[in-house]
Amino acid sequence: MARTVNARGRPSGRRRGDSGTRAAIEAAAARQFAEHGYDRASMRSIALEAGVDPALVSHFFGSKQRLFVAVVELPFDPAQAIPVLLEGDPAEVGERLARFLVGVLENEAGRRRAVGLVRAAASEAEAARLVRALVEDQLFAPIAEHLGADNPRLRASFVGAQMVGLVMARYVVAVEPLASLPADALVANLAGLLQKLLTGPIEG
Amino acid sequence: MARTVNARGRPSGRRRGDSGTRAAIEAAAARQFAEHGYDRASMRSIALEAGVDPALVSHFFGSKQRLFVAVVELPFDPAQAIPVLLEGDPAEVGERLARFLVGVLENEAGRRRAVGLVRAAASEAEAARLVRALVEDQLFAPIAEHLGADNPRLRASFVGAQMVGLVMARYVVAVEPLASLPADALVANLAGLLQKLLTGPIEG
């Protein structure tokens, strides 16, 4: 990190290290995702702000979606998770999603990241915008859209509300008996709620 | 408030004013509810900490439940709301509760208080404990218990998670299209979720 600051502060022409370039891109991306939202931020504008060639952004992060995941530090990669969740009977997508999300949250590192995101969203406008972009664009909307139900984005935002509330109630506020409910029972109850939100009737 | 500090700081025997007494009781109550939870805090121990006669606590606040409501600054009084919500067909309790809660949240003062509680709970352990005591003991558990379903407290904590998530998603993070969903559609969707949580199958 110190090298980045030095390199940016002194226009000496000295080659910036990989870790410095990566950090500069992530800083620019975090600012632009928070300020403009996921859709309006572009690889090109992020590269411009970071002072690097757009090809370098692709080289380090592959795609805008992967750059976003790196910046918000999601506890998992939607690009890997979503196809698996969509395989199989649509009548059981709620259970697959519940099992996956509870698995992430019951893992210590996953829970720490999720709690950090939710806590940050409650207090900082920038983090709130990142979480909003995440919920709207990256995670639940693709699932709802693939299922072909009406109002996919409204469904996605209700699923997001459900998960933020669960993180708050079980891990932050520790409301009993939800906080000490065994993971299997949590999956069973959450499955029904998510199935209803993803494929049940909804008023838009 | 300044009078309270003076009165407590100087053991002069001068009579403490009503507002000073009330403030001292509220401060002691907030500390004890947060530290011990609602059940284990008592009118007597709160009076002792505030340095007043227990009869004065009853005089000002009536009951422990009302003292709690005053301290956490709920946007409504459960003692008034719950009986109304329980009147009528149990198959429509989800809709009555949804209409009531959305009414509170769509009112500016109610929304401000709810958002303040949720934000505080995300960052401060004391506020988190107050919200936990609120959800567990005061608001949703009595409704679930009166309905006579199994696992009433687990149902109550899921309803609490639902509402905390809704407040975060609609008012704090402003996830679209949930944030701009008309209140009537919000009531309709929330009603189904609350009905399921209060009277549907649940795994404890």
Side-chain angles (χ1 to χ4, degrees):
Chain A
M1 291 294 275
R3 277 181 76 183
T4 320
V5 174
N6 290 342
R8 300 190 82 184
R10 280 192 285 156
S12 62
R14 200 161 51 116
R15 192 176 167 275
R16 191 196 278 171
D18 273 6
S19 68
T21 304
R22 179 180 274 273
I25 294 168
E26 288 183 355
R31 207 198 61 75
Q32 294 205 11
F33 284 135
E35 174 126 0
H36 306 304
Y38 181 84
D39 283 335
R40 284 185 294 142
S42 74
M43 299 283 266
R44 177 166 296 276
S45 63
I46 289 165
L48 188 69
E49 177 171 336
V52 303
D53 191 283
L56 262 186
V57 181
S58 294
H59 169 69
F60 280 119
F61 296 96
S63 67
K64 186 165 83 167
Q65 195 256 10
R66 284 177 179 277
L67 176 56
F68 180 80
V69 169
V71 168
V72 299
E73 294 196 330
L74 273 186
F76 55 88
D77 182 347
Q80 291 188 354
I82 289 170
V84 177
L85 293 169
L86 288 171
E87 265 172 35
D89 188 352
E92 288 168 7
V93 67
E95 209 212 305
R96 288 193 297 273
L97 184 57
R99 193 167 299 283
F100 171 72
L101 292 171
V102 170
V104 168
L105 293 172
E106 293 293 297
N107 167 280
E108 198 190 317
R111 179 170 61 244
R112 208 166 42 227
R113 280 184 170 196
V115 167
L117 267 180
V118 169
R119 276 202 156 123
S123 58
E124 293 163 31
E126 180 176 326
R129 286 190 211 103
L130 282 173
V131 171
R132 186 174 57 202
L134 161 69
V135 172
E136 283 181 12
D137 299 305
Q138 287 302 302
L139 194 53
F140 301 128
I143 293 176
E145 277 159 11
H146 273 90
L147 290 169
D150 58 324
N151 287 303
R153 296 181 69 84
L154 181 60
R155 293 174 188 277
S157 53
F158 268 108
V159 171
Q162 188 73 57
M163 296 314 300
V164 166
L166 179 70
V167 168
M168 282 284 293
R170 182 168 166 99
Y171 305 108
V172 178
V173 181
V175 177
E176 290 295 355
L178 179 54
S180 51
L181 189 68
D184 278 354
L186 179 61
V187 168
N189 293 317
L190 191 58
L193 292 167
L194 296 182
Q195 189 71 41
K196 181 176 174 62
L197 289 171
L198 288 170
T199 63
I202 194 162
E203 191 158 324
Chain B
M1 291 294 274
R3 276 180 77 185
T4 321
V5 173
N6 290 343
R8 301 190 81 188
R10 280 193 285 157
S12 62
R14 198 158 54 112
R15 191 176 169 278
R16 190 195 280 172
D18 273 7
S19 68
T21 305
R22 180 180 271 273
I25 294 168
E26 286 184 355
R31 207 197 61 76
Q32 293 206 12
F33 283 135
E35 174 124 0
H36 306 304
Y38 180 83
D39 283 335
R40 284 185 293 142
S42 74
M43 299 284 266
R44 177 166 295 277
S45 63
I46 289 165
L48 188 70
E49 177 169 336
V52 304
D53 191 283
L56 261 186
V57 180
S58 294
H59 170 70
F60 280 120
F61 295 96
S63 67
K64 186 165 83 168
Q65 195 257 8
R66 285 178 179 278
L67 176 56
F68 181 80
V69 170
V71 168
V72 298
E73 294 196 329
L74 273 185
F76 55 89
D77 182 348
Q80 291 187 354
I82 288 171
V84 177
L85 294 169
L86 287 171
E87 266 172 32
D89 187 351
E92 288 169 6
V93 67
E95 207 210 307
R96 289 194 296 274
L97 184 57
R99 194 167 298 284
F100 170 72
L101 292 171
V102 170
V104 168
L105 293 172
E106 293 294 297
N107 168 282
E108 198 190 318
R111 179 170 59 243
R112 209 167 39 226
R113 280 186 170 196
V115 167
L117 266 180
V118 169
R119 277 204 156 121
S123 58
E124 292 163 31
E126 181 176 326
R129 287 191 210 101
L130 282 172
V131 171
R132 186 175 58 201
L134 159 70
V135 172
E136 282 181 12
D137 299 305
Q138 288 301 303
L139 191 54
F140 301 128
I143 293 175
E145 277 158 11
H146 273 91
L147 290 170
D150 57 327
N151 288 304
R153 296 181 68 86
L154 182 58
R155 292 174 188 278
S157 53
F158 268 108
V159 172
Q162 188 73 58
M163 296 313 300
V164 166
L166 179 69
V167 168
M168 281 285 292
R170 183 169 165 99
Y171 304 109
V172 178
V173 181
V175 176
E176 290 295 356
L178 179 53
S180 51
L181 188 69
D184 279 353
L186 179 61
V187 168
N189 292 317
L190 190 58
L193 291 168
L194 296 181
Q195 188 71 41
K196 180 178 176 61
L197 289 171
L198 287 170
T199 64
I202 193 163
E203 191 158 324

